[in-house]
């Protein structure tokens, strides 16, 4: 019962927290077990919330033993379907035994249940897959072997791709892969259990890497993000992909990462020169508080958008103040709590989501009660007031983003009139970078066609 209630609450919370939650290949998700769901782990507690929300059936979670504690805490966590597993890094001075966790996992799979495992073990806010541990494969193969390869255990790989894991109203793209039939490894497991477990683990790793943006190093990831910002729109025009926007963006980013990886190995000097040029260009933008997207626009376009943005800001100011007044405290409290509770970025989003689930309803209820006590309006007006609170909150957030965009346009417009030579120099730098990227794309495409 507790699990069902929490799942319903968090599903609603996800719709509010994320601007877009897109799922690719939802039809590949089985609605019954025995099933092991495996995923990358960039965003701590947010990852199981997002993944479990997609499955119709109840999900049982393999969790590190350190989250368990007192008797009541253990009871609560087990009601939430958590199964403890011991990791060597949690208790390096003690022998590790996961016999209880494996036994519980085998039993759950025999009963046709669904387990969720993050085979990397730890959560890191990085766009890459870290080393995949063999525990998932050992659980799946052990359960299948105990049933003489007749249980039908499947492993479902799920890739989680966050646009900005720590930011409210960001995007998440969930990429679901083809299920892996564990019975296909049963005969190999009988001959050499360790080799079969490693082979299945390698398959899991390959499937997950194909479902996420995987950058080998932080340097390559930083360069990939900069190239995305500068070149993705032009790349999309050069390589039209007949797919929804979220899938197209994912495929384009994968192509950019592959290109960077290729040139890092074949032409490191060229990559180093590109990184230097991009660094100098972005440094100038930061100093001038400008955004790259603005530099491709002409002065008349910037002037028109600046005027239109100012008009919208003046028109919407009363509603913005109304939304700000009623939503600022419940909006800011989750962020403050997250930053007070931890210094680890990976925990910010799940803490903000959890606190926000309570802060917004409590403040809305308090505001409605105060209105009732002071004015005693008719019931339908009270309901309209309640409805206006979240709507005005979303409007206030959009208004703030419009304000930032308009401010950026006015900054560029001021440069047009006062320091036009600076704008022209930045545009030359940008064009030089775009030419380098386009030449690299053509060289990469030629190389791919020649193979």
């Amino acid at each position: 019962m507790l699990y069902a209630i929490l799942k319903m609450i968090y599903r609603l919370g996800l719709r509010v927290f994320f601007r877009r939650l897109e799922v690719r290949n939802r039809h590949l998700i089985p609605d019954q077990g025995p099933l092991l769901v495996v995923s990358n782990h960039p965003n701590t507690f947010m990852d199981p919330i997002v993944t479990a929300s997609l499955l119709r059936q109840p999900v049982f979670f393999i969790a590190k033993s350190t989250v368990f504690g007192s008797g009541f805490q253990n009871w609560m966590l087990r009601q939430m379907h958590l199964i403890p597993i011991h990791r060597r890094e949690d208790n390096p001075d003690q022998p590790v035994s996961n016999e209880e966790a494996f036994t519980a996992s085998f039993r759950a799979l025999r009963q046709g249940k669904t387990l969720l495992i993050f085979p990397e073990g730890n959560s890191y806010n990085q766009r890459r897959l870290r080393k995949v541990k063999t525990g998932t494969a050992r659980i799946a193969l052990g359960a299948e072997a105990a049933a003489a390869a007749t249980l039908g255990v499947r492993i479902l790989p799920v890739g989680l791709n966050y646009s900005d894991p720590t930011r409210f109203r960001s995007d998440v793209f969930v990429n679901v892969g083809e299920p892996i039939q564990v019975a296909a490894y049963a005969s190999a497991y009988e001959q050499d259990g360790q080799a079969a477990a490693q082979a299945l683990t390698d398959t899991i790793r390959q499937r997950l890497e194909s479902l996420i943006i995987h950058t080998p190093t932080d340097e390559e990831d930083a360069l990939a993000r900069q190239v995305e910002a500068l070149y993705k729109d032009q790349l999309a025009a050069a390589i039209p992909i007949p797919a929804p926007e979220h899938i197209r963006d994912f495929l384009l980013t994968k192509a950019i990462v592959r290109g960077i990886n290729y040139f890092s190995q074949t032409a490191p000097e060229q990559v180093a020169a590109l990184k230097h040029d991009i660094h100098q260009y972005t440094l100038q933008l930061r100093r001038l508080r400008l955004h790259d997207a603005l530099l491709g626009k002409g002065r008349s376009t910037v002037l028109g958008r600046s005027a239109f943005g100012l008009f919208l800001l003046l028109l919407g100011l009363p509603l913005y103040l109304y939304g700000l007044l009623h939503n600022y405290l419940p909006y800011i409290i989750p962020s403050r709590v997250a930053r007070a509770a931890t210094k680890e970025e990976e925990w910010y989003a799940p803490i903000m989501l959890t606190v926000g689930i309570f802060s917004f309803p409590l403040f809305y209820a308090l505001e409605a009660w105060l209105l009732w006590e002071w004015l005693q309006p008719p019931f339908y007006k009270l309901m309209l007031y309640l409805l206006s609170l979240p709507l005005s909150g979303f409007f206030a957030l959009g208004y703030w983003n419009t304000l930032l965009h308009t401010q950026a346009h006015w900054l560029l417009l001021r440069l047009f009139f006062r320091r036009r030579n600076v704008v022209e120099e930045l545009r030359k730098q940008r064009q030089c970078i775009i030419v380098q990227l386009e030449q690299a794309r053509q060289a990469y495409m030629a190389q791919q066609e020649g193979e």
Side-chain angles (χ1 to χ4, degrees):
M1 176 63 76
L2 178 61
Y3 174 86
I5 293 172
L6 288 175
K7 185 174 182 178
M8 180 179 64
I9 292 173
Y10 274 109
R11 269 183 171 171
L12 178 61
L14 289 173
R15 290 182 177 274
V16 176
F17 189 88
F18 290 109
R19 184 174 65 97
R20 291 190 307 176
L21 197 163
E22 304 284 359
V23 183
R24 183 187 189 190
N25 294 330
R26 189 187 289 266
H27 66 281
L28 295 178
I29 302 176
D31 57 7
Q32 60 183 7
L35 180 68
L36 278 164
V37 181
V38 294
S39 175
N40 59 314
H41 202 12
N43 207 6
T44 58
F45 190 52
M46 186 66 82
D47 300 332
I49 294 173
V50 171
T51 307
S53 72
L54 305 177
L55 284 84
R56 296 179 182 177
Q57 67 270 36
V59 179
F60 291 77
F61 307 94
I62 303 295
K64 59 183 181 180
S65 60
T66 53
V67 303
F68 288 77
S70 64
F72 177 74
Q73 184 179 355
N74 289 350
W75 178 84
M76 282 287 293
L77 292 174
R78 292 185 188 279
Q79 293 301 307
M80 295 165 62
H81 295 183
L82 267 68
I83 299 173
I85 190 165
H86 300 274
R87 306 180 308 168
R88 189 173 302 278
E89 57 262 41
D90 295 328
N91 297 287
D93 299 328
Q94 298 180 13
V96 175
S97 174
N98 283 313
E99 183 177 347
E100 181 184 350
F102 272 66
T103 301
S105 300
F106 292 160
R107 182 168 58 250
L109 292 173
R110 283 198 306 271
Q111 294 170 353
K113 293 179 178 178
T114 295
L115 301 179
L116 173 59
I117 300 179
F118 297 99
E120 294 168 283
N122 290 312
S123 177
Y124 294 92
N125 183 6
Q126 297 171 329
R127 293 201 303 183
R128 77 178 56 101
L129 189 70
R130 303 179 75 86
K131 181 180 179 181
V132 174
K133 300 181 179 180
T134 59
T136 304
R138 288 159 52 208
I139 289 173
L141 289 167
E144 195 64 61
T150 61
L151 192 56
V153 177
R154 290 170 290 180
I155 298 175
L156 180 72
V158 175
L160 299 175
N161 300 275
Y162 297 91
S163 64
D164 190 341
T166 63
R167 186 169 62 85
F168 177 63
R169 301 302 290 171
S170 57
D171 302 332
V172 57
F173 170 49
V174 184
N175 204 3
V176 181
E178 287 277 355
I180 303 168
Q181 304 294 333
V182 177
Y185 296 81
S187 59
Y189 185 68
E190 291 179 1
Q191 298 173 13
D192 187 337
Q194 184 175 355
Q198 188 59 57
L200 181 52
T201 299
D202 291 341
T203 300
I204 293 171
R205 177 184 55 78
Q206 292 165 7
R207 295 284 184 91
L208 286 176
E209 280 189 3
S210 71
L211 297 171
I212 65 172
I213 304 300
H214 177 73
T215 54
T217 66
D218 288 341
E219 279 192 358
E220 289 195 18
D221 185 61
L223 180 58
R225 290 181 187 275
Q226 291 170 333
V227 173
E228 285 180 72
L230 284 163
Y231 187 59
K232 181 178 273 189
D233 288 344
Q234 186 166 330
L235 185 61
I239 310 175
I241 300 175
E245 181 182 357
H246 58 280
I247 296 177
R248 185 193 69 212
D249 285 349
F250 173 79
L251 295 176
L252 288 173
T253 300
K254 291 278 280 187
I256 289 170
V257 171
R258 283 197 301 270
I260 291 173
N261 185 258
Y262 168 77
F263 284 108
S264 294
Q265 297 177 33
T266 60
E269 299 87 0
Q270 183 179 344
V271 173
L274 178 64
K275 287 169 64 175
H276 176 268
D277 291 347
I278 292 178
H279 174 72
Q280 294 299 316
Y281 171 70
T282 54
L283 189 62
Q284 279 284 85
L285 289 180
R286 282 198 298 269
R287 286 173 178 167
L288 296 169
R289 294 184 296 164
L290 292 177
H291 302 293
D292 170 75
L294 294 176
L295 289 179
K297 302 172 182 176
R299 184 168 60 179
S300 59
T301 301
V302 174
L303 179 61
R305 295 200 175 183
S306 300
F308 184 65
L310 183 59
F311 170 75
L312 291 179
L313 291 173
L314 291 173
L315 188 66
L317 182 59
L319 185 53
Y320 167 71
L321 294 175
Y322 177 87
L324 184 66
L325 175 66
H326 289 88
N327 289 273
Y328 180 75
L329 284 177
Y331 173 81
I332 203 66
I333 285 174
S335 176
R336 296 291 174 83
V337 170
R339 279 157 177 75
T342 181
K343 300 300 181 184
E344 299 178 25
E345 282 191 342
E346 293 87 354
W347 283 100
Y348 286 171
I351 292 175
M352 286 192 292
L353 173 63
T354 302
V355 176
I357 284 173
F358 295 98
S359 67
F360 278 96
L362 286 174
F363 270 86
Y364 288 169
L366 175 61
E367 288 163 347
W369 176 78
L370 290 174
L371 180 69
W372 175 262
E373 287 293 317
W374 290 343
L375 301 179
Q376 294 190 344
F379 180 74
Y380 79 92
K381 288 187 177 181
L382 184 64
M383 291 299 101
L384 288 174
Y385 172 73
L386 273 172
L387 180 62
S388 75
L389 299 181
L391 294 178
S392 65
F394 282 117
F395 179 86
L397 192 61
Y399 183 97
W400 181 254
N401 290 329
T402 301
L403 176 63
L404 294 178
H405 282 105
T406 303
Q407 182 186 38
H409 279 85
W410 279 107
L411 284 171
L412 180 58
L413 194 62
R414 186 177 64 179
L415 282 176
F416 267 126
F417 288 104
R418 296 185 178 181
R419 300 173 66 187
R420 185 177 180 83
N421 61 316
V422 174
V423 176
E424 293 304 324
E425 181 60 31
L426 279 172
R427 284 181 165 173
K428 287 180 182 178
Q429 291 181 42
R430 186 180 191 276
Q431 185 58 33
C432 180
I433 293 169
I434 294 296
V435 168
Q436 292 181 65
L437 291 171
E438 182 60 21
Q439 290 173 346
R441 181 188 72 83
Q442 293 176 6
Y444 179 72
M445 294 293 291
Q447 185 274 335
Q448 293 294 305
E449 292 173 1
E451 289 186 351

